[in-house]
């Protein structure tokens, strides 16, 4: 089990990015959360097996159709043991 904190930059708010991320996480059985940050980025805490997280990050790096992702920063963080994946407001 591995955990990552992801910060997604670009035109990523107001384009369904959180819901897109939620659907990808549910499909891949990734746990954690996604939220809009005050600085206009999207923040994600994701937990899962390493290969699954790689697939998750690949899809999130592209984002939904209307998003324009300019940068994705990933940092490995301690596993917190989330049981589900949620959209945090």
């Amino acid at each position: 089990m591995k955990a990552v904190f992801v910060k997604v930059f670009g035109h990523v708010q107001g384009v369904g990015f959180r819901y897109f991320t939620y659907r990808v996480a549910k499909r891949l059985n990734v746990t954690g959360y996604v939220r809009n940050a005050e600085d206009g980025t999207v923040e994600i805490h994701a937990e899962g097996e390493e290969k699954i997280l790689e697939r998750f990050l690949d899809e999130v790096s592209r984002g939904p159709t209307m998003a324009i992702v300019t940068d994705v920063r990933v940092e490995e963080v301690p596993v917190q043991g989330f049981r589900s994946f949620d959209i945090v407001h």
Side-chain angles (χ1 to χ4, degrees):
M1 181 70 78
K2 181 177 176 179
V4 291
F5 180 77
V6 184
K7 197 157 179 90
V8 185
F9 296 81
H11 182 62
V12 293
Q13 289 191 11
V15 294
F17 204 99
R18 290 177 299 162
Y19 299 99
F20 169 84
T21 302
Y22 175 83
R23 287 191 304 273
V24 172
K26 288 295 190 182
R27 182 168 38 82
L28 296 176
N29 293 315
V30 170
T31 60
Y33 65 84
V34 59
R35 68 177 171 211
N36 284 342
E38 289 183 18
D39 63 2
T41 63
V42 169
E43 297 177 340
I44 305 164
H45 178 97
E47 298 184 356
E49 297 303 322
E50 189 165 358
K51 287 190 186 278
I52 297 296
L53 285 180
E54 288 173 9
R55 286 180 56 198
F56 175 78
L57 291 171
D58 184 52
E59 291 192 44
V60 168
S61 294
R62 287 192 301 269
T65 307
M66 298 298 290
I68 301 170
V69 177
T70 59
D71 193 17
V72 178
R73 297 185 189 157
V74 180
E75 173 186 352
E76 191 165 344
V77 295
V79 173
Q80 295 182 22
F82 286 93
R83 295 178 186 259
S84 63
F85 194 91
D86 298 304
I87 297 172
V88 178
H89 298 280

